[in-house]
Amino acid sequence: NSIAGQQGFRAAESRQASRQFHLHLSHAAMDASAAAAAPANPLKAKMMDEGAEVKVHKIRITLTSRNVQNLEKVCNDLIRGAKDKRLKVKGPVRLPTKHLRITTRKSPCGEGTNTWDRFEMRIHKRLIDLHSPSEIVKQITSISIEPGVEVEVTIADVE
């Protein structure tokens, strides 16, 4: 029973380590949201290009990692890129660290002294809020992401 728990933890750890950066919101979805903001009438589109503002979205970027240094580096790069483009930035908001703990017996057969292994995986999370058009977010998030850092982008309209 304890070996199965240990192997399950190792399997979860290896899956987490092998997972590469993935963006939950594809570029196609960003393009679709930008296309939805454009009017169907070509004359109105031309008028929008001349004088009207581009639709501003509230964008929340969630960064998750087991390695704090990589997470902070990606966080700082994103914020620096947003401030270079003169966007409103809030964050990084440091959420509480999740401690995933597994305690298991060292002995495979259950005999002998009761010795225990304690394994722990810490998951760190950061939130960054931006107010910008979705095209600019594509440029900001195109930076090189450190290995082991997951990025999730959520877009909402500002009202």
Side-chain angles (χ1 to χ4, degrees):
N1 190 2
S2 64
I3 293 175
Q6 211 170 10
Q7 288 173 342
F9 182 78
R10 287 190 183 129
E13 188 176 9
S14 67
R15 279 195 302 273
Q16 181 71 19
S18 66
R19 189 176 296 165
Q20 293 292 324
F21 159 73
H22 67 283
L23 195 58
H24 291 285
L25 185 65
S26 67
H27 291 295
M30 283 187 185
D31 293 338
S33 68
N41 188 345
L43 293 176
K44 286 185 182 178
K46 194 172 190 181
M47 288 171 55
M48 281 183 68
D49 289 341
E50 291 173 359
E53 292 271 331
V54 178
K55 188 165 185 176
V56 175
H57 299 285
K58 180 183 176 202
I59 293 148
R60 173 163 284 177
I61 301 172
T62 306
L63 303 167
T64 309
S65 177
R66 292 184 297 146
N67 187 336
V68 182
Q69 288 82 17
N70 289 352
L71 183 67
E72 288 293 332
K73 182 177 184 307
V74 172
C75 219
N76 292 333
D77 290 346
L78 282 172
I79 290 171
R80 190 179 312 113
K83 286 185 177 177
D84 289 345
K85 301 212 182 286
R86 293 181 172 78
L87 300 177
K88 275 194 213 172
V89 180
K90 290 186 181 178
V93 178
R94 291 167 175 85
L95 297 178
T97 303
K98 291 183 184 175
H99 298 272
L100 306 178
R101 292 189 177 107
I102 291 183
T103 304
T104 183
R105 285 281 308 270
K106 283 185 179 181
S107 170
C109 61
E111 292 183 15
T113 308
N114 291 345
T115 53
W116 298 84
D117 268 333
R118 290 183 290 273
F119 298 101
E120 181 177 272
M121 183 190 309
R122 295 179 181 191
I123 312 265
H124 307 276
K125 201 170 195 179
R126 304 285 185 267
L127 290 180
I128 300 172
D129 286 332
L130 304 172
H131 290 278
S132 73
S134 56
E135 296 82 27
I136 294 177
V137 173
K138 270 197 268 186
Q139 296 170 4
I140 293 170
T141 56
S142 66
I143 62 165
S144 63
I145 306 294
E146 295 291 316
V149 178
E150 290 186 33
V151 178
E152 182 178 342
V153 178
T154 308
I155 296 182
D157 292 335
V158 174
E159 295 162 9

